[in-house]
Amino acid sequence: MTTPSLCGSFLSSKQSLVAFVWTATTILTLMAFVMAIIMTVQINMQYQHLASIYAMDDDYNNQEGEGEEEEEEHGSQDRNKDSLLYSLMATTSSRSMTFVAVYTMALAVVLNLYGSTAIVGFTSLRGDYIAPCFSSEHNSMKVGIFGGAIVIFANLLLLCAVVLGEFRVEDYRDDKEREDYAPYAVERIATVLAVTCMFLSVLYTTFAVLLFLTHASEEDDSIDLEETEYHSKPLVTISDRTPGEAFLTMDESRSS
């Protein structure tokens, strides 16, 4: 009797379901990192463009004739202040945030490669299940270690999302003055990374729950199968005596 598939001929077993979800997780991880990189580059280009515009205006105002009125001098000081401020907004960076982003991407790449090639496998474009390349047997210990690594990575992503969400550059401006200007470029990049980490944390947590549920159900199924096979075996008694053979007593053995 064949086991019915979970979703027609596409997902024929729990193992193929886990591989399909893991493949989707890998693709979504790659897309999330690509989007984060694109938005980071776009933010840097936008702030560099604003800084160059204010610098050009500053140079143009400095080339004007002397003898201006006091109000024009005050406006020139404001423009110089804006030019300096936007230059700081564009050039201010954080090495620690860069390290966090690179380290997180490296961990994600290692986990996805290890999971696809040694533990879970993956699903092809046609929906066919492809077994892991470097693992021929189902090892419960390896699956448990891999699941634990996924849980730790998901919690690390959640921690990074909370920390990066509160990232802020402290300068001489107060809150009212901050409302009149755009935030620093590094602050906007930190927000993009925080959203990316939160999304990936939810994604990997969902996969970890699915992995543990399917692994536990497979263990229960194997235990039930062993018990069924044990109870279904008939009891067989083996006797070497023939029907007419008599037992030898101690006296008969001595007389003989």
Side-chain angles (χ1 to χ4, degrees), residues 1-254:
M1 181 178 180
T2 59
T3 304
S5 61
L6 299 176
C7 187
S9 59
F10 182 64
L11 299 176
S12 57
S13 64
K14 295 178 181 179
Q15 193 174 19
S16 61
L17 173 63
V18 174
F20 171 73
V21 176
W22 179 246
T23 303
T25 301
T26 303
I27 295 174
L28 290 175
T29 301
L30 178 62
M31 292 177 61
F33 282 132
V34 170
M35 289 296 297
I37 292 173
I38 292 175
M39 294 183 68
T40 299
V41 173
Q42 184 179 4
I43 290 171
N44 282 324
M45 291 179 61
Q46 179 183 0
Y47 275 79
Q48 291 291 342
H49 179 66
L50 289 175
S52 62
I53 290 177
Y54 278 95
M56 291 175 61
D57 291 342
D58 191 15
D59 294 338
Y60 176 76
N61 292 326
N62 290 332
Q63 293 176 359
E64 290 182 350
E66 298 179 356
E68 296 180 350
E69 298 180 356
E70 183 178 356
E71 294 181 357
E72 293 182 356
E73 291 180 358
H74 183 69
S76 178
Q77 292 178 358
D78 291 339
R79 286 190 293 270
N80 292 335
K81 179 181 177 182
D82 292 340
S83 176
L84 178 62
L85 183 59
Y86 275 97
S87 177
L88 290 175
M89 286 181 179
T91 57
T92 302
S93 61
S94 174
R95 293 182 179 179
S96 59
M97 189 175 67
T98 304
F99 173 77
V100 168
V102 174
Y103 184 72
T104 303
M105 291 179 64
L107 282 181
V109 170
V110 171
L111 279 176
N112 282 276
L113 288 178
Y114 179 70
S116 299
T117 58
I119 302 296
V120 179
F122 52 94
T123 306
S124 65
L125 296 176
R126 297 181 179 179
D128 299 328
Y129 170 69
I130 301 176
C133 304
F134 304 109
S135 180
S136 58
E137 296 181 357
H138 182 74
N139 194 329
S140 300
M141 182 176 293
K142 289 184 179 180
V143 175
I145 294 174
F146 176 69
I150 293 294
V151 172
I152 294 174
F153 183 61
N155 282 276
L156 176 64
L157 289 171
L158 179 61
L159 180 63
C160 291
V162 174
V163 174
L164 292 174
E166 297 294 329
F167 185 88
R168 181 175 177 178
V169 178
E170 293 293 339
D171 53 9
Y172 59 88
R173 298 179 301 162
D174 54 8
D175 293 337
K176 183 178 180 181
E177 208 171 0
R178 280 177 174 271
E179 294 177 356
D180 298 334
Y181 294 91
Y184 281 79
V186 68
E187 292 178 346
R188 294 185 60 183
I189 294 173
T191 302
V192 171
L193 294 178
V195 174
T196 303
C197 289
M198 182 62 70
F199 169 73
L200 293 178
S201 177
V202 174
L203 186 64
Y204 281 93
T205 301
T206 304
F207 174 77
V209 172
L210 176 64
L211 179 65
F212 284 121
L213 288 177
T214 53
H215 180 65
S217 62
E218 287 180 359
E219 292 292 334
D220 294 338
D221 293 341
S222 62
I223 293 175
D224 294 338
L225 181 60
E226 291 178 358
E227 291 180 353
T228 303
E229 291 179 352
Y230 175 78
H231 290 295
S232 62
K233 290 181 179 180
L235 296 176
V236 180
T237 57
I238 301 175
S239 177
D240 296 332
R241 293 185 296 108
T242 59
E245 185 179 0
F247 290 99
L248 291 177
T249 61
M250 186 67 67
D251 295 336
E252 292 175 351
S253 63
R254 288 178 181 177

